[in-house]
Every structure is written in structure tokens, then in C-alpha cells.
Amino acid sequence: MKLHEGGVYLIHGTEIRESYNGVRENAKEGTIAYGILKQHNTAGDMENLKIRFDALTSHDITYVGIIQTARASGLEKFPLSYVLTNCHNSLCAVGGTINEDDHMFGLTAAKKYGGVYVPPMQAVIHQYAREVLSGGGKMILGSDSHTRYGALGTMAMGEGGPELVKQLLSRTYDIKMPEVVAVYLTGELRPGVGPQDVALAIIGAVFKNGYVKNKIMEFVGPGIANLSMDTRIGIDVMTTETTCLSSIWQTDEKTREYFEIHHRPQDFKSLTPASVAWYDGLIEVDLSAIKPMIALPYHPSCAYTIDEFLANAADLLHETEERARVSFGDKVQVDLLGKLANGQFHVDQGIIAGCAGGGFENICDAADILRGKSIGSGTFSLNVYPASMPIYMELVKNGVFADLLATGAVVKPAFCGPCFGAGDTPANNAFSIRHSTRNFPNREGSKVQEGQISHVALMDARSIAATAANQGVLTSAEYFDGTFSNPKYFFDGRIYENRVFDSHGVADPEAEIQFGPNIKDWPAMPALTENLLLKVVSEIHDPVTTTDELIPSGETSSYRSNPLKLASFALSRKDPAYVGRAKEVQAAELAREKGIAARESVREAFPEASQAAVQAAEAIGIGEAAVRGAVRLAFAETEAAFEKVHKLWPAATMANTGIGSTIFAVKPGDGSAREQAASCQKVLGGWANIAFEYATKRYRSNLINWGMLPLLVPAGELPFANGDYIFLPGIRKAIEEKAPEIEAFAVTADGIIAFTMALGDLTDDERTIIIDGCLINYYRNH
């Protein structure tokens, strides 16, 4: 694999040149991506895009909050196709919202506003979109980070819920023209190598150096013709783990055949680069050189060939244990080296599932490897989740499921649970190999705060099957000496016709939305004050902080429709003290708002402020005694900090200075698009994140849409620490006037330290959203 430094020209789709006698600006328009973006851009300016999408997709962790936000902002009907799927919290109720309450909310909302409702167990969100919604040249926006349908000629993006709200309110998705990086494929995959192997090889090459961060990956080259559609789709969905913005592939006769199989020939479109196309970077991938891969815990970029891992297992496992100690400290006892015995590595669990692993070809190839074998009666287990009921039905018809079940494997319905921690959580210190999308810490459902930790490695379905055939001894599918049957796929859409509700875009204003008792509205959120006094309530120095660490997935998502309850889980698996600290600061702010908004002195208004906070106890979810204690502590600290900065800024008073919390993380936001990673902080009174950089555009956008400052500080030693206050004088004016730097003062035990921060590029609308306090306020005010 080769990464080109700097841009390149692609001539006639096959010749790579670093220089060419044409005009580069014209050649930039020759990419497939440029043409699709131009078609969907509502602005005359191709440098500052205002995109309108063709369709939206959400699942049952995100659609309630999105629709509630849109309703609060004046929603009357869905102005474009909006598909509500139910593939995450589908099996049972765990602790919070009864899942069926949310499902009834989704069904009745689809009827009222004119949407599509896909009942539980019918399909995972992305497979339904591939089968029914995708189309050549289209653009789809989804509230799940793995919204990727580029292999079908559809440019799709995963963003936080507020970006979907904008589309529902007929607004636009505003971004600067992204750079486009070509992925130039040559060669042909060797037997036993599957899409996950290709994807992990690419992720391992580009994640750490940020080669494609926030860019569009455009797959081109002669090697594409040698890949089946299922293989292309399996590679494409994993592009999310590179932190790219989106993906697109050149299409061909195999793409046409896919749409014909799914009874939608009209949705095929031929897409190829122009005869001369300029790319901002290019990744050369020789498919014939790809070997079966494994991504060790705790990130898809920790990628090695299986052969390389087995040859160096002791060293690599020791490194993995050291990474675990950085993340978990002494909260858990990690033992990976214990899985290694007599030169063999023993695995406890195999999972083939979801939008990455649950495809027809993956499961058929796995069955070919396992046919006639036994997975054994020991600790190893194998669970298989097809990505949709049409795939499930075809695997029943062609006998593949019978072959799998005979081995001791378990077949389950379409469900995303293993991918986000709501199903198949392994035993303590167990090692799971999965053809799914992520292997972040805690992502599989383990509870570090309770002393339980398990470990996930990503592998392709074929090598998982080879390992299962070896009863849990890690084995590469490269050494499978049988043949693959490659059965033909027949799509039967009757299940969808019989079960999916499709309004065909016709809204029914008379329909009543059905609410469950745990479905709550968003709490009121104040506008930005003239100044801010922020307390740092968490400090995270891991190289990357995932959204699953900011708001854990899995069983915590049972509170997904209740913002206050869900917020109580924020950072619970990373910094359990965060919620308590944030609530103490929030108590002080609520007291300020209710008791001393017009006062000049904290000390003068303290008794009244304390009573006001007691009255607000229910709103922040802590009892009266705790509120009184929190107010005394918070106001004692706040008063001391405020008096120090007041000497520098006499115009700052408690009437014009808001109090809030902030967290610092080196690089937050890798992973899920779930807006709750930001909204839970906001619900707890957060006003900012501070970082060296943000891992993804979607997390930064979530912060902005919830009215939070995405602050940046230069990498290096921080001028503040956890527990310190940071004063931002004139912050509202600085945002209004587009100040390039934000003046800040850290109030520390050693005195006040002046420093500067930046906000990065913000559109005019984004500035107004932050000033108004959140996207809901923005739409209400404008």
C-alpha cells in the first residue's frame, strides 16, 4: 500500500501522474465526488457548500431526540424521505425506556409527518438503505456514523441528530468543499481474504496520520472490477473508521446488476472520473497483496496480518495490555497473555454481524469453511446476525443456515447489538473476534467501573469461521483448502411489503404521536452570556477519546429518550466523578439564574441563591441536601474565582457572567455520530470542550449544534488542570465579531494565567447557534 504525498492527477482512470499540463482547478471538477456535491449544492459557491440531501435515515437510539428537536423547532411534515429503523434497542427493556414505547413513537411520527417506519428485526439501518433507499448520484444523511453507501454510487454521511433536524426544517448542510482522496485499487483478492481484511489494511495505513480525515474517499481503478458488490459494500462501510467525511465508488455492470437484483434498475447510474481528474491525495492498494487481518483491541487501526500477530503474539499482547492500563488504570485486571499457550492463541467468542459482517456473501463463505465441522463444546461460541430479513430468508432457502446450525453456531435476527454493547457481551477478560465495525474500549458492553472488562478484535467473517472450525484457536482463512460455493443471491422484498410502513411522503396531520412515560422533552437551555466562567470538571489525556467514552452505548441507551436521565451516564465509564462535578457547577448556575441574575455580588445574594437552587433540585436530578451542599461548595469556589478575575475585568458581574463546566480531552469525538456525546454535557450545564484537535467533524458539529464552544489549545503543557476555573471575558462579543483568538484566564492555585484559545472555522449560522444557546433556540429565535 502506498500513500502519495501531495496531490495527483488520474488520467483516463488508470494513469497516475504527479504533474500534468492541464489546469488543476478544472481537473478538480473531474472527480465523481465533485459532480455529486455540485448537483446537491444550493449555493452558487462551490467552496462553501450548502447541501440538500435526497433522504435521511435514523435508528431507534437517535430518531426520538431528532423528531423531538424538530417538533420544538416548528416541524410540520418531513420535506424529504425519512426512514426510521429499529435495529439497536430492539430486544428488550433495560433500565429505562421500554423499547416498544419508542417504536410506537416512531411509527406514529412516520404517519403524522410522512415517513417510513421499519419495525424491529427487519433490517439494520444501513442494509435497509442499501436495499431500498440508495441510488446512483444520490446523497443520504444518517444519524449513524456508518452511513456509507458509496459502493452503490451514493454519497452518504453520518452526522449527529441536529444536522438531520436542519434538513427536516428545509435548511442545509453547510461545509467547506472537502478534499477528495483517491483509493486506487489494482489486483485481485486471494482466496480466504474478505472485505474486512481490505478495510483494516487501509485503516491501519491512514488513521494515525490523518491522511483522509474529514475528506472524501473516492474508490477508482481496475481492481474494482474484480470485487463483488458485497465485498465493495463491506470495505466501504468501514471507511468511517478512517475518520473520512464520506466515500464514493466508480460504478460498473456489477453495480447495475445489484440494483436489478433488488428490483430497482432505474436507480443505477454510471459514475466514473473524468478523463483528467485531480485528487488531493491517492492511496494505492494492491488487492493481491492483502492477507487476512486482525485489529487488536482497542481500535480498528491496531491492524496486523494474522500471521504477523501469531508470530509476535507475546510482544503485541503485552503492548495491548499496556494500552489498557493507560485507559483503565487499576480499575480492572487485564490478562491477554493468558490466552496464549503452546504457540496458539485461544479465542472465546466469534461474532459475524451487522452492517459490516452480516452480508450474504460473508455468511455463505463462513458456512463453506465450517460445513461438516464442530465449533466444540468448550468456551468458544459463534453467533451470526444477517443484516436484513431478506438476507435471512435467502439463507434459509439455500440451506446455509442449516449448515451453520449443525456446527453449534447460533443464528440470530437482524440486530446491531453486538456492535454497540447491547448483545453478546463476553465474560470478564474474554477475547471476542468480530466482523463488525468497532472494537473501542467498553464498546462490547463491559463495565470497567464494576471491574469487568472484555476484549474485541476485528476480523473478517472467513477467518472467524476458520477459527470456529478450529474450536477457538485463532486461524487465518488463508489456509482453508476447500472451495467457496458462491451461491447466487435472490432478493425477496415481500417481507418489507408486508411489514414496513411507508407513507410515500404523505403526511397525516390528524395522526396523534404516541408517547411513553419516559419520553421527555429537552430541558430549557439559556443563551450565551457576555462572559463565561467555566470550571474544568474532567481532564482526559488518552491519545483519542471516543464518543462511547463520552456517553457509553449499550444498556445506557435505554434512557435515550429522556435527556436528563441519559445525561447521568455521561463519561461514566471514563471518569465516574464527572457527572457529580458537573451537577455542582450547574447548581451554582441555576442559582445564579434564579436568585442573583440582577445582583452584583455573590456573597450578598448567597442565601437567596441557595434557596433558588433547592427549588431547582428536580431539574438537575439531585436531592435538596445535596443541592445545598453543592451550592455552598460551588459558590464558595465560584466566588473566590470570580473575585480574582473581577479585578481584571470590573465590568464582569454575576448578572452578565454565566457559570458552566467544560472538559479537556486531547482528541475527543472518534466513533459514533450519536449527538448524546455532546447533548448530555449540555444538559448537565456544559458550555465548552477544550482539545488539541477534534477527532471528527461530526462530533465538533454536535458540540456547536448544542450551543457548546469547540475550543482549541496548542498541543503541549496546559495552563489549567482539572478543578481549575477558566474565565472567558467578552466571549459573546468575540464570537459575534469573529475574533481569530479567544482571550482566556485560568484561575489556578498559583494565580491567574492568561492564555489564548481558538474556535476554528465557524459559519455565520454556527456562530448564531452558539450565541442562542443551541439549535432549538436558534430555530425558535429565527
Side-chain angles (χ1 to χ4, degrees), residues 522-731:
W522 292 104
M525 299 179 189
L528 181 65
T529 48
E530 292 181 32
N531 317 296
L532 275 180
L533 184 61
L534 304 175
K535 184 177 182 181
V536 182
V537 293
S538 186
E539 187 178 354
I540 304 170
H541 287 274
D542 289 0
V544 178
T545 303
T546 70
T547 46
D548 287 288
E549 292 170 306
L550 295 168
I551 180 62
S553 58
E555 84 287 355
T556 59
S557 299
S558 63
Y559 293 104
R560 61 199 173 273
S561 305
N562 188 325
L564 290 170
K565 286 188 177 179
L566 182 63
S568 67
F569 292 99
L571 274 77
S572 59
R573 296 182 188 169
K574 189 64 187 173
D575 184 357
Y578 163 77
V579 171
R581 295 189 192 115
K583 284 184 175 181
E584 289 174 359
V585 179
Q586 188 179 37
E589 170 60 11
L590 287 170
R592 183 194 75 84
E593 292 175 12
K594 291 181 177 294
I596 60 170
R599 305 289 189 114
E600 297 292 324
S601 165
V602 177
R603 183 180 287 108
E604 177 185 355
F606 178 80
E608 184 180 348
S610 177
Q611 183 58 37
V614 170
Q615 293 171 352
E618 289 187 4
I620 58 174
I622 53 179
E624 179 175 328
V627 171
R628 290 188 183 278
V631 167
R632 291 190 184 97
L633 174 63
F635 263 80
E637 289 184 350
T638 303
E639 182 179 25
F642 183 78
E643 286 181 351
K644 291 178 181 179
V645 298
H646 184 70
K647 294 177 182 178
L648 294 174
W649 289 87
T653 69
M654 292 305 293
N656 62 22
T657 303
I659 303 168
S661 58
T662 187
I663 69 169
F664 167 81
V666 171
K667 188 178 179 181
D670 189 19
S672 173
R674 287 177 298 136
E675 65 187 272
Q676 293 100 323
S679 66
C680 285
Q681 296 178 54
K682 183 67 171 186
V683 165
L684 292 170
W687 264 108
N689 274 196
I690 304 173
F692 292 156
E693 66 174 303
Y694 291 94
T696 58
K697 181 247 178 229
R698 56 183 172 270
Y699 178 66
R700 183 176 181 271
S701 294
N702 284 338
L703 291 173
I704 294 166
N705 285 323
W706 283 105
M708 298 178 68
L709 302 165
L711 296 168
L712 291 163
V713 292
E717 186 174 346
L718 296 172
F720 56 83
N722 198 14
D724 289 342
Y725 281 84
I726 298 174
F727 181 58
L728 303 178
I731 182 62

Side-chain angles (χ1 to χ4, degrees), residues 66-318:
I66 291 168
I67 294 171
Q68 286 286 72
T69 301
R71 290 178 68 244
S73 305
L75 175 70
E76 295 182 355
K77 73 179 297 292
F78 297 155
L80 72 171
S81 179
Y82 188 17
V83 175
L84 311 177
T85 63
N86 295 273
C87 53
H88 278 59
N89 282 359
S90 304
L91 289 179
C92 61
V94 184
T97 302
I98 294 174
N99 292 324
E100 198 64 14
D101 283 348
D102 276 4
H103 301 160
M104 290 302 97
F105 176 97
L107 175 58
T108 53
K111 291 179 178 179
K112 184 177 183 66
Y113 298 119
V116 177
Y117 174 82
V118 182
M121 308 301 173
Q122 296 303 303
V124 302
I125 177 173
H126 305 307
Q127 187 63 24
Y128 185 84
R130 295 163 187 154
E131 294 172 350
V132 177
L133 205 61
S134 61
K138 288 185 178 180
M139 289 190 71
I140 294 176
L141 181 66
S143 56
D144 184 273
S145 56
H146 289 98
T147 307
R148 291 284 190 271
Y149 318 125
L152 299 170
T154 303
M155 188 180 293
M157 299 175 182
E159 287 282 359
E163 292 299 331
L164 277 77
V165 172
K166 293 176 184 177
Q167 296 289 310
L168 291 176
L169 299 176
S170 298
R171 304 299 180 101
T172 56
Y173 177 76
D174 301 344
I175 55 169
K176 289 187 177 297
M177 180 68 187
E179 293 186 356
V180 183
V181 173
V183 184
Y184 187 77
L185 303 179
T186 60
E188 185 173 359
L189 294 179
R190 63 181 74 186
V193 175
Q196 190 81 325
D197 299 316
V198 180
L200 294 178
I202 293 173
I203 294 164
V206 304
F207 174 78
K208 292 175 183 175
N209 60 17
Y211 190 79
V212 296
K213 180 180 177 181
N214 295 332
K215 302 173 185 178
I216 294 173
M217 298 176 74
E218 183 161 310
F219 288 77
V220 294
I224 289 179
N226 298 324
L227 298 175
S228 70
M229 286 308 302
D230 267 18
T231 300
R232 299 180 200 183
I233 287 168
I235 298 169
D236 184 63
V237 72
M238 291 297 292
T239 60
T240 295
E241 304 311 318
T242 67
T243 69
C244 74
L245 178 69
S246 187
S247 63
I248 193 68
W249 291 56
Q250 67 182 48
T251 60
D252 58 15
E253 288 306 305
K254 288 184 180 178
T255 322
R256 184 193 301 275
E257 183 184 19
Y258 180 94
F259 285 108
E260 290 173 349
I261 289 171
H262 290 83
H263 315 311
R264 299 191 292 126
Q266 71 281 3
D267 287 319
F268 169 77
K269 184 176 182 179
S270 179
L271 299 173
T272 57
S275 58
V276 179
W278 164 267
Y279 292 94
D280 298 284
L282 186 140
I283 307 164
E284 290 188 64
V285 180
D286 179 1
L287 295 171
S288 63
I290 303 292
K291 292 171 65 69
M293 303 287 293
I294 181 171
L296 295 176
Y298 300 94
H299 198 277
S301 64
C302 298
Y304 304 88
T305 68
I306 293 177
D307 287 346
E308 181 183 6
F309 166 67
L310 291 175
N312 302 278
D315 290 340
L316 293 174
L317 290 171
H318 176 71

Side-chain angles (χ1 to χ4, degrees), residues 367-431:
D368 286 336
I369 293 171
L370 276 164
R371 189 170 290 109
K373 305 290 197 311
S374 166
I375 70 169
S377 57
T379 60
F380 181 81
S381 63
L382 176 64
N383 294 333
V384 178
Y385 295 77
S388 71
M389 287 309 291
I391 293 175
Y392 193 111
M393 185 160 62
E394 186 60 23
L395 294 169
V396 170
K397 290 178 179 178
N398 70 10
V400 165
F401 274 174
D403 292 333
L404 284 173
L405 292 170
T407 71
V410 176
V411 174
K412 299 186 177 183
F415 180 46
C416 296
C419 190
F420 82 106
D424 293 308
T425 301
N428 185 48
N429 258 313
F431 195 96

Side-chain angles (χ1 to χ4, degrees), residues 727-744:
F727 181 58
L728 303 178
I731 182 62
R732 184 181 177 108
K733 183 178 180 182
I735 294 172
E736 289 173 338
E737 296 182 353
K738 304 180 181 180
E741 293 185 335
I742 303 298
E743 188 177 28

Side-chain angles (χ1 to χ4, degrees), residues 432-466:
S432 178
I433 52 175
R434 302 188 175 191
H435 192 158
S436 59
T437 55
R438 291 197 174 119
N439 60 338
F440 295 165
N442 310 311
R443 177 84 180 184
E444 80 298 333
S446 61
K447 299 177 176 63
V448 173
Q449 72 276 19
E450 297 176 14
Q452 198 273 348
I453 180 66
S454 47
H455 320 281
V456 170
L458 300 182
M459 285 170 49
D460 188 81
R462 292 145 194 85
S463 290
I464 293 174

